[in-house]
Short mmCIF file of all heavy atoms in Angstrom, two decimals:
data_model
loop_
_atom_site.label_atom_id
_atom_site.label_comp_id
_atom_site.label_asym_id
_atom_site.label_seq_id
_atom_site.Cartn_x
_atom_site.Cartn_y
_atom_site.Cartn_z
N THR A 224 7.13 -9.02 -16.20
CA THR A 224 7.15 -8.03 -15.12
C THR A 224 6.09 -6.97 -15.35
O THR A 224 5.93 -6.47 -16.46
CB THR A 224 8.53 -7.36 -15.02
OG1 THR A 224 9.51 -8.35 -14.70
CG2 THR A 224 8.55 -6.28 -13.95
N MET A 225 5.36 -6.64 -14.29
CA MET A 225 4.46 -5.50 -14.31
C MET A 225 5.03 -4.45 -13.35
O MET A 225 5.32 -4.73 -12.19
CB MET A 225 3.04 -5.90 -13.91
CG MET A 225 2.90 -6.62 -12.59
SD MET A 225 1.16 -7.05 -12.19
CE MET A 225 0.93 -8.48 -13.23
N THR A 226 5.24 -3.24 -13.89
CA THR A 226 5.81 -2.15 -13.09
C THR A 226 4.67 -1.35 -12.47
O THR A 226 3.82 -0.82 -13.19
CB THR A 226 6.70 -1.25 -13.96
OG1 THR A 226 7.75 -2.03 -14.54
CG2 THR A 226 7.33 -0.15 -13.11
N LEU A 227 4.66 -1.26 -11.15
CA LEU A 227 3.57 -0.63 -10.41
C LEU A 227 4.11 0.47 -9.53
O LEU A 227 5.12 0.30 -8.85
CB LEU A 227 2.84 -1.68 -9.55
CG LEU A 227 2.36 -2.93 -10.30
CD1 LEU A 227 1.84 -3.96 -9.31
CD2 LEU A 227 1.29 -2.58 -11.32
N MET A 228 3.41 1.61 -9.53
CA MET A 228 3.86 2.78 -8.79
C MET A 228 3.21 2.83 -7.42
O MET A 228 2.00 2.66 -7.28
CB MET A 228 3.52 4.04 -9.58
CG MET A 228 3.79 5.35 -8.84
SD MET A 228 5.54 5.65 -8.53
CE MET A 228 6.10 5.91 -10.21
N LEU A 229 4.02 3.07 -6.41
CA LEU A 229 3.49 3.26 -5.06
C LEU A 229 2.45 4.37 -5.06
O LEU A 229 2.65 5.45 -5.60
CB LEU A 229 4.64 3.63 -4.11
CG LEU A 229 4.26 3.87 -2.65
CD1 LEU A 229 3.83 2.57 -2.00
CD2 LEU A 229 5.43 4.49 -1.89
N GLY A 230 1.28 4.07 -4.46
CA GLY A 230 0.21 5.05 -4.36
C GLY A 230 -0.80 5.00 -5.48
O GLY A 230 -1.88 5.61 -5.36
N GLU A 231 -0.51 4.30 -6.56
CA GLU A 231 -1.42 4.26 -7.69
C GLU A 231 -2.37 3.06 -7.61
O GLU A 231 -2.11 2.08 -6.90
CB GLU A 231 -0.64 4.20 -9.00
CG GLU A 231 -0.05 5.54 -9.41
CD GLU A 231 -1.13 6.59 -9.65
OE1 GLU A 231 -1.78 6.57 -10.71
OE2 GLU A 231 -1.31 7.44 -8.76
N TYR A 233 -4.69 0.13 -9.76
CA TYR A 233 -4.65 -0.62 -11.02
C TYR A 233 -5.76 -1.67 -11.06
O TYR A 233 -6.26 -2.11 -10.02
CB TYR A 233 -3.30 -1.34 -11.17
CG TYR A 233 -2.10 -0.43 -11.16
CD1 TYR A 233 -1.44 -0.13 -9.97
CD2 TYR A 233 -1.62 0.13 -12.34
CE1 TYR A 233 -0.34 0.71 -9.97
CE2 TYR A 233 -0.50 0.96 -12.34
CZ TYR A 233 0.12 1.25 -11.15
OH TYR A 233 1.22 2.08 -11.14
N ILE A 259 1.73 -4.75 0.46
CA ILE A 259 2.00 -4.03 -0.79
C ILE A 259 0.70 -3.68 -1.52
O ILE A 259 0.56 -2.58 -2.06
CB ILE A 259 2.91 -4.86 -1.70
CG1 ILE A 259 4.26 -5.10 -1.02
CG2 ILE A 259 3.11 -4.18 -3.05
CD1 ILE A 259 5.19 -6.01 -1.79
N PHE A 260 -0.25 -4.60 -1.52
CA PHE A 260 -1.49 -4.43 -2.27
C PHE A 260 -2.68 -4.27 -1.32
O PHE A 260 -2.86 -5.09 -0.41
CB PHE A 260 -1.75 -5.64 -3.17
CG PHE A 260 -0.73 -5.85 -4.25
CD1 PHE A 260 0.46 -6.50 -3.99
CD2 PHE A 260 -0.98 -5.40 -5.54
CE1 PHE A 260 1.40 -6.71 -4.99
CE2 PHE A 260 -0.05 -5.60 -6.56
CZ PHE A 260 1.14 -6.24 -6.28
N ILE A 320 -1.49 0.25 -4.63
CA ILE A 320 -0.15 -0.10 -4.14
C ILE A 320 0.14 0.75 -2.90
O ILE A 320 0.20 1.98 -2.98
CB ILE A 320 0.91 0.13 -5.21
CG1 ILE A 320 0.50 -0.55 -6.53
CG2 ILE A 320 2.26 -0.40 -4.74
CD1 ILE A 320 0.20 -2.02 -6.40
N ILE A 321 0.29 0.10 -1.75
CA ILE A 321 0.45 0.82 -0.49
C ILE A 321 1.84 0.68 0.12
O ILE A 321 2.13 1.26 1.17
CB ILE A 321 -0.60 0.35 0.53
CG1 ILE A 321 -0.44 -1.14 0.82
CG2 ILE A 321 -2.01 0.66 0.05
CD1 ILE A 321 -1.32 -1.65 1.97
N GLY A 322 2.72 -0.09 -0.49
CA GLY A 322 4.07 -0.27 0.07
C GLY A 322 4.95 -1.04 -0.88
O GLY A 322 4.58 -1.31 -2.02
N GLY A 323 6.14 -1.41 -0.38
CA GLY A 323 7.04 -2.26 -1.16
C GLY A 323 7.90 -1.55 -2.17
O GLY A 323 8.49 -2.20 -3.04
N ALA A 324 8.00 -0.21 -2.10
CA ALA A 324 8.78 0.52 -3.10
C ALA A 324 10.21 0.00 -3.14
O ALA A 324 10.84 -0.23 -2.10
CB ALA A 324 8.77 2.01 -2.80
N GLY A 325 10.71 -0.23 -4.35
CA GLY A 325 12.07 -0.72 -4.53
C GLY A 325 12.20 -2.23 -4.46
O GLY A 325 13.32 -2.75 -4.52
N THR A 326 11.09 -2.96 -4.36
CA THR A 326 11.15 -4.42 -4.28
C THR A 326 10.46 -5.04 -5.49
O THR A 326 9.72 -4.39 -6.22
CB THR A 326 10.45 -4.94 -3.00
OG1 THR A 326 9.05 -4.66 -3.07
CG2 THR A 326 11.05 -4.29 -1.77
N SER A 327 10.72 -6.32 -5.67
CA SER A 327 10.04 -7.12 -6.70
C SER A 327 9.42 -8.33 -6.02
O SER A 327 10.06 -8.98 -5.18
CB SER A 327 11.02 -7.56 -7.79
OG SER A 327 11.51 -6.45 -8.51
N GLU A 328 8.17 -8.62 -6.36
CA GLU A 328 7.45 -9.72 -5.76
C GLU A 328 6.94 -10.67 -6.84
O GLU A 328 6.42 -10.22 -7.87
CB GLU A 328 6.25 -9.21 -4.95
CG GLU A 328 6.62 -8.38 -3.74
CD GLU A 328 7.15 -9.23 -2.60
OE1 GLU A 328 6.83 -10.45 -2.57
OE2 GLU A 328 7.87 -8.69 -1.74
N ALA A 355 5.91 -8.52 -9.93
CA ALA A 355 5.46 -7.15 -9.67
C ALA A 355 6.65 -6.34 -9.19
O ALA A 355 7.21 -6.63 -8.13
CB ALA A 355 4.34 -7.13 -8.63
N GLN A 356 7.05 -5.37 -10.00
CA GLN A 356 8.15 -4.48 -9.62
C GLN A 356 7.54 -3.17 -9.10
O GLN A 356 6.84 -2.47 -9.82
CB GLN A 356 9.06 -4.20 -10.81
CG GLN A 356 10.24 -3.29 -10.48
CD GLN A 356 11.10 -3.00 -11.70
OE1 GLN A 356 10.68 -3.21 -12.83
NE2 GLN A 356 12.30 -2.50 -11.47
N ILE A 357 7.81 -2.85 -7.85
CA ILE A 357 7.21 -1.68 -7.22
C ILE A 357 8.20 -0.53 -7.27
O ILE A 357 9.32 -0.64 -6.76
CB ILE A 357 6.80 -1.97 -5.76
CG1 ILE A 357 6.05 -3.30 -5.66
CG2 ILE A 357 5.98 -0.84 -5.21
CD1 ILE A 357 4.78 -3.38 -6.49
N VAL A 358 7.81 0.55 -7.91
CA VAL A 358 8.67 1.72 -8.03
C VAL A 358 8.04 2.88 -7.28
O VAL A 358 6.87 2.85 -6.91
CB VAL A 358 8.94 2.10 -9.50
CG1 VAL A 358 9.67 0.98 -10.21
CG2 VAL A 358 7.63 2.41 -10.22
N ASN A 359 8.84 3.92 -7.07
CA ASN A 359 8.39 5.03 -6.24
C ASN A 359 8.70 6.35 -6.93
O ASN A 359 9.78 6.52 -7.52
CB ASN A 359 9.11 4.99 -4.89
CG ASN A 359 8.48 5.90 -3.86
OD1 ASN A 359 7.40 6.44 -4.08
ND2 ASN A 359 9.14 6.06 -2.74
N ALA A 360 7.76 7.27 -6.87
CA ALA A 360 8.04 8.63 -7.32
C ALA A 360 8.98 9.30 -6.32
O ALA A 360 9.06 8.91 -5.16
CB ALA A 360 6.74 9.41 -7.44
N SER A 361 9.69 10.32 -6.77
CA SER A 361 10.61 11.03 -5.88
C SER A 361 10.56 12.52 -6.17
O SER A 361 10.12 12.94 -7.24
CB SER A 361 12.04 10.51 -6.06
OG SER A 361 12.49 10.75 -7.39
N ASN A 384 9.82 13.09 -10.09
CA ASN A 384 10.19 12.07 -11.07
C ASN A 384 9.28 10.86 -10.96
O ASN A 384 8.96 10.39 -9.85
CB ASN A 384 11.64 11.63 -10.84
CG ASN A 384 12.61 12.77 -10.99
OD1 ASN A 384 12.88 13.23 -12.10
ND2 ASN A 384 13.15 13.25 -9.88
N ASN A 385 8.87 10.33 -12.10
CA ASN A 385 8.03 9.14 -12.18
C ASN A 385 8.74 8.09 -13.02
O ASN A 385 8.75 8.17 -14.25
CB ASN A 385 6.67 9.48 -12.80
CG ASN A 385 5.83 8.25 -13.07
OD1 ASN A 385 6.07 7.19 -12.52
ND2 ASN A 385 4.81 8.40 -13.92
N PRO A 386 9.34 7.06 -12.38
CA PRO A 386 10.01 6.01 -13.15
C PRO A 386 9.07 4.93 -13.64
O PRO A 386 9.52 3.97 -14.26
CB PRO A 386 11.01 5.45 -12.13
CG PRO A 386 10.31 5.62 -10.82
CD PRO A 386 9.51 6.89 -10.93
N GLY A 387 7.78 5.03 -13.35
CA GLY A 387 6.83 3.99 -13.70
C GLY A 387 6.38 4.04 -15.15
O GLY A 387 6.62 5.01 -15.87
N LYS A 388 5.66 2.99 -15.53
CA LYS A 388 5.18 2.87 -16.90
C LYS A 388 3.78 3.44 -17.09
O LYS A 388 3.23 3.37 -18.19
CB LYS A 388 5.19 1.39 -17.32
CG LYS A 388 6.57 0.74 -17.23
CD LYS A 388 7.62 1.50 -18.02
CE LYS A 388 8.99 0.84 -17.90
NZ LYS A 388 10.05 1.62 -18.58
N SER A 389 3.22 4.02 -16.04
CA SER A 389 1.90 4.67 -16.12
C SER A 389 2.01 6.06 -15.51
O SER A 389 2.85 6.30 -14.62
CB SER A 389 0.83 3.86 -15.39
OG SER A 389 0.73 2.55 -15.90
N ALA A 390 1.18 6.96 -16.00
CA ALA A 390 1.15 8.30 -15.42
C ALA A 390 0.66 8.22 -13.98
O ALA A 390 -0.11 7.34 -13.61
CB ALA A 390 0.23 9.21 -16.24
N ILE A 391 1.13 9.14 -13.12
CA ILE A 391 0.65 9.20 -11.74
C ILE A 391 -0.08 10.52 -11.56
O ILE A 391 0.31 11.56 -12.08
CB ILE A 391 1.79 9.06 -10.72
CG1 ILE A 391 2.90 10.10 -10.95
CG2 ILE A 391 2.36 7.66 -10.74
CD1 ILE A 391 3.98 10.08 -9.89
N ALA A 440 4.09 9.01 -17.66
CA ALA A 440 4.85 7.77 -17.51
C ALA A 440 6.32 8.00 -17.86
O ALA A 440 6.63 8.65 -18.86
CB ALA A 440 4.27 6.69 -18.40
N ASP A 441 7.20 7.47 -17.00
CA ASP A 441 8.64 7.58 -17.20
C ASP A 441 9.04 9.03 -17.49
O ASP A 441 9.89 9.31 -18.33
CB ASP A 441 9.08 6.67 -18.35
CG ASP A 441 10.59 6.43 -18.33
OD1 ASP A 441 11.20 6.58 -17.26
OD2 ASP A 441 11.15 6.10 -19.40
N ILE A 467 1.30 10.65 -3.14
CA ILE A 467 0.46 10.34 -4.30
C ILE A 467 -0.91 10.01 -3.74
O ILE A 467 -1.11 8.94 -3.16
CB ILE A 467 1.03 9.18 -5.12
CG1 ILE A 467 2.46 9.49 -5.58
CG2 ILE A 467 0.14 8.89 -6.32
CD1 ILE A 467 3.15 8.34 -6.24
N THR A 470 -1.07 8.33 -0.20
CA THR A 470 0.06 7.42 0.03
C THR A 470 1.36 8.20 0.15
O THR A 470 1.72 8.97 -0.74
CB THR A 470 0.17 6.40 -1.11
OG1 THR A 470 -1.04 5.64 -1.18
CG2 THR A 470 1.33 5.44 -0.86
N ASP A 471 2.05 7.99 1.24
CA ASP A 471 3.32 8.67 1.50
C ASP A 471 4.44 7.94 0.77
O ASP A 471 4.71 6.77 1.03
CB ASP A 471 3.57 8.67 3.01
CG ASP A 471 4.80 9.47 3.43
OD1 ASP A 471 5.57 9.89 2.54
OD2 ASP A 471 4.98 9.67 4.64
N THR A 472 5.11 8.64 -0.16
CA THR A 472 6.21 8.01 -0.88
C THR A 472 7.47 7.91 -0.04
O THR A 472 8.39 7.16 -0.37
CB THR A 472 6.55 8.80 -2.16
OG1 THR A 472 7.10 10.08 -1.80
CG2 THR A 472 5.32 8.99 -3.02
#
Side-chain angles (χ1 to χ4, degrees):
T224 298
M225 55 179 78
T226 302
L227 307 172
M228 173 66 68
L229 180 69
E231 283 298 282
Y233 300 91
I259 298 175
F260 295 82
I320 310 304
I321 60 172
T326 66
S327 294
E328 294 285 337
Q356 181 182 16
I357 313 301
V358 297
N359 194 10
S361 62
N384 299 287
N385 172 18
K388 302 305 179 184
S389 302
I391 55 175
D441 197 23
I467 303 173
T470 301
D471 186 351
T472 68

